Amino acid sequence: MIGAVVFDVGETLVDETREYGTWADWFGVPRHTFVSVFGATIAQGKDYREAFQVFRPGFDLAKEREARAAVGQPETYGEQDLYPDVRQALSKLQGMGVWVGIVGNQTLRSGEILRGLGLPTDFVATSDDWGVEKPSTAFFEKVVEVAPCAANEIVYVGDRIENDIAPAKAIGMRTAYIQRGPWGWIQRDMPEIAELSDWKIHDLNELPEIAAAENG
């Protein structure tokens, strides 16, 4: 049975193209240059934040976020940045009686934005809310605590093997790897995809079909 489906945020629900473009602008480099370095960093298996160090050695993400906010350029996203399948897929799942959660590595500000979007969801939380980040298994254990069912009845949906799929699987969840965004495309042929993902999807609207098949 699938009793709950829980979603990552960046590149699962939210297309971060515009936001990363604003970081390129903040550094004063062409957007194409920033995106190229960002992709190369991921492809090398490094933490994505190392891409920022290329343009500004000693870069501190938390401090730079504060600096941007102080001059009226805070990180933000809105309805226009949601992938087009988000509302329909989440609504379908809820209509089937499946508990829908959104939980990712996000700031308190991001959590407020998510709640303000009024998405069809039963629960929203961020790593800043909980004080623990992915890929820590403690993060996923908290997901199990808030969900209304056991770990093996929860499907965690994400675009990254190391941050989403592997740790969720490690505590007994089922997993759906979505192939989109930088990680989704760069990691798509990694053997861990087949080993650790119960499903590999390209569109969130595949999930209601999966739930219907699993729940009979």
Side-chain angles (χ1 to χ4, degrees):
M1 291 289 291
I2 293 176
V5 178
V6 182
F7 295 86
D8 169 47
V9 180
E11 298 307 333
T12 298
L13 302 180
V14 177
D15 180 345
E16 297 177 310
T17 299
R18 186 168 63 91
E19 185 52 44
Y20 281 119
T22 67
W23 276 113
D25 300 343
W26 182 253
F27 292 136
V29 300
R31 292 188 172 196
H32 179 67
T33 300
F34 180 82
V35 169
S36 297
V37 172
F38 189 87
T41 300
I42 295 170
Q44 293 171 43
K46 297 178 180 179
D47 188 306
Y48 77 95
R49 287 168 288 197
E50 292 189 37
F52 296 102
Q53 299 289 339
V54 172
F55 303 105
R56 188 164 298 174
F59 177 86
D60 184 304
L61 182 57
K63 290 182 179 178
E64 292 291 331
R65 280 173 169 159
E66 291 176 2
R68 285 185 54 170
V71 296
Q73 299 177 37
E75 285 189 295
T76 191
Y77 57 90
E79 184 72 30
Q80 71 273 29
D81 300 300
L82 293 176
Y83 278 103
D85 54 4
V86 171
R87 286 193 178 275
Q88 184 179 40
L90 271 60
S91 181
K92 284 181 180 178
L93 287 167
Q94 276 200 327
M96 298 167 62
V98 175
W99 189 88
V100 176
I102 300 175
V103 188
N105 276 357
Q106 298 288 321
T107 62
L108 294 173
R109 174 182 173 80
S110 178
E112 293 173 357
I113 293 171
L114 283 168
R115 295 180 185 97
L117 288 171
L119 292 167
T121 181
D122 298 290
F123 184 82
V124 176
T126 70
S127 52
D128 273 9
D129 290 327
W130 284 349
V132 61
E133 294 186 347
K134 297 183 292 183
S136 171
T137 53
F139 178 97
F140 293 90
E141 288 166 355
K142 291 191 74 68
V143 173
V144 177
E145 288 177 14
V146 300
C149 52
N152 63 0
E153 295 181 353
I154 302 170
V155 177
Y156 193 82
V157 186
D159 63 304
R160 297 174 62 177
I161 286 294
E162 74 286 0
N163 247 37
D164 301 318
I165 305 304
K169 179 63 71 172
I171 68 157
M173 289 185 188
R174 303 174 82 181
T175 56
Y177 178 82
I178 185 161
Q179 185 182 311
R180 65 182 175 200
W183 284 272
W185 282 98
I186 290 170
Q187 296 182 340
R188 69 190 186 282
D189 294 325
M190 291 175 64
E192 291 89 341
I193 300 291
E195 294 167 7
L196 301 175
S197 300
D198 293 281
W199 300 278
K200 181 179 179 180
I201 64 174
H202 296 83
D203 189 298
L204 295 180
N205 282 307
E206 295 175 56
L207 293 166
E209 298 174 6
I210 289 169
E214 291 294 307
N215 294 350

